[in-house]
Amino acid sequence: VDTSDDTPILADRFQWSSHSMARMGMVGSGKSYAAKLELLRASLAYDDLQIIVVDPKKEYNDVIHSLDGTRINLEHGYSFEELGAQHTCFQVGERGQRDDVDVLVDLVQDLYTYTSRNQRKTLVVIDEARILMNDEKGRQVLNQFVLEARDTNTAITLISQNASHFTYCREGREILDNMPGKVFMRHDR
């Protein structure tokens, strides 16, 4: 909020030293709601912004649909051409399946490869980041993506319930160390 007249502002993440942020808070604290608002506002603020959402809980479909985006069910696979859509929401077939971990890790690796090939402003939201943080390859892929995203004009938002999902391991601490934006929502510790 601009303190001179109490009007809301949008911080230009693409001007930060690193474009990435973590949003952490207990269940029901509004993490996903805040991320959805950010997506809608960012789509208005940035010309030619690409939005990509990794959505293991199937929460973002309506927002992406309202932006004339595409929903892709990972159960059916996807192509690199589909990664180039203006706004895309990637969802799993059924929530909570153990097989989803490998599919999500492969998707994030592909998103890293895809965004590394262009300079288009891209906002990537990865909800339920704990799923990837609980997998060794997932941690490595997320760490590399966050470390190198700024070079390719990519802003990453990782959403999880607890900071401990990041702080318990070296890669997670490095991820947080390289994210200037950390939002804690009803987070006690």
Side-chain angles (χ1 to χ4, degrees):
V1 173
D2 183 329
T3 56
S4 67
D5 62 4
D6 289 329
T7 58
I9 62 165
L10 176 67
D12 185 353
R13 290 178 57 178
F14 292 96
Q15 295 300 314
W16 295 0
S17 59
S18 167
H19 306 335
S20 298
M21 70 181 304
R23 191 179 306 275
M24 299 161 277
M26 65 184 288
V27 173
S29 62
K31 301 176 303 290
S32 298
Y33 178 78
K36 291 172 192 175
L37 282 178
E38 180 185 11
L39 293 176
L40 292 169
R41 291 174 178 161
S43 71
L44 297 171
Y46 300 109
D47 292 331
D48 197 35
L49 175 71
Q50 180 179 28
I51 295 172
I52 300 171
V53 180
V54 178
D55 183 16
K57 288 179 30 182
K58 300 183 176 183
E59 292 186 87
Y60 292 82
N61 191 49
D62 291 342
V63 171
I64 296 300
H65 179 73
S66 72
L67 297 171
D68 294 324
T70 304
R71 180 183 63 87
I72 296 175
N73 185 330
L74 292 171
E75 200 171 59
H76 305 297
Y78 58 91
S79 66
F80 262 87
E81 291 79 32
E82 290 174 301
L83 295 177
Q86 182 78 14
H87 306 306
T88 309
C89 179
F90 291 93
Q91 297 178 333
V92 295
E94 288 187 46
R95 290 172 56 167
Q97 301 301 310
R98 177 65 191 147
D99 295 342
D100 293 345
V101 175
D102 295 332
V103 170
L104 292 170
V105 170
D106 290 344
L107 171 63
V108 172
Q109 178 66 56
D110 288 345
L111 293 176
Y112 167 72
T113 300
Y114 167 76
T115 59
S116 296
R117 295 178 179 167
N118 66 66
Q119 285 293 312
R120 181 178 185 186
K121 281 186 182 174
T122 304
L123 178 55
V124 176
V125 173
I126 301 173
D127 208 335
E128 299 297 331
R130 67 177 170 73
I131 295 169
L132 295 163
M133 292 303 301
N134 286 332
D135 181 82
E136 183 177 355
K137 185 177 175 189
R139 288 191 300 272
Q140 293 168 357
V141 168
L142 277 180
N143 192 21
Q144 182 179 16
F145 199 6
V146 169
L147 286 172
E148 298 179 14
R150 181 180 184 272
D151 297 340
T152 61
N153 227 7
T154 302
I156 300 171
T157 299
L158 299 180
I159 301 173
S160 199
Q161 288 77 18
N162 296 297
S164 64
H165 293 150
F166 298 98
T167 58
Y168 82 94
C169 63
R170 178 189 57 79
E171 296 93 344
R173 291 187 299 273
E174 286 180 11
I175 287 169
L176 289 180
D177 285 345
N178 286 289
M179 292 184 145
K182 296 170 190 76
V183 178
F184 297 95
M185 303 173 75
R186 289 175 40 200
H187 201 278
D188 293 335
R189 293 182 292 142

